[in-house]
Amino acid sequence: MAKIHEVAEAAGVSISTVSYALSGKRSISPDTRRRIEEAARALDYRPNAGARMLAVVGPRSSR
């Protein structure tokens, strides 16, 4: 299974651009989005569930 940096390298974009394109949080040009989606499909990219939870919930703080 590929990591996000491998998708970025294959698509010729930055890691943040891959993240924005796959999350839909920012506007990405149709050509760039197509390259990213094709690279993600070809590399069998799947988002890391643990990382997604941190992004949604945030890290737990120790008090």
Side-chain angles (χ1 to χ4, degrees):
M1 189 169 8
K3 300 204 182 295
I4 195 168
H5 70 88
E6 295 169 315
V7 174
E9 186 176 314
V13 298
S14 69
I15 293 170
S16 61
T17 301
V18 172
S19 178
Y20 295 145
L22 297 179
S23 70
K25 290 185 179 180
R26 295 233 178 132
S27 177
I28 305 293
S29 76
D31 180 59
T32 301
R33 183 177 304 278
R34 179 189 51 76
R35 289 193 339 253
I36 291 168
E37 290 173 350
E38 287 176 359
R41 219 177 354 265
L43 295 170
D44 194 31
Y45 173 74
R46 300 283 183 264
N48 180 291
R52 290 192 63 124
M53 283 301 292
L54 283 177
V56 173
V57 177
R60 293 177 64 183
S61 61
S62 57
R63 294 180 186 193

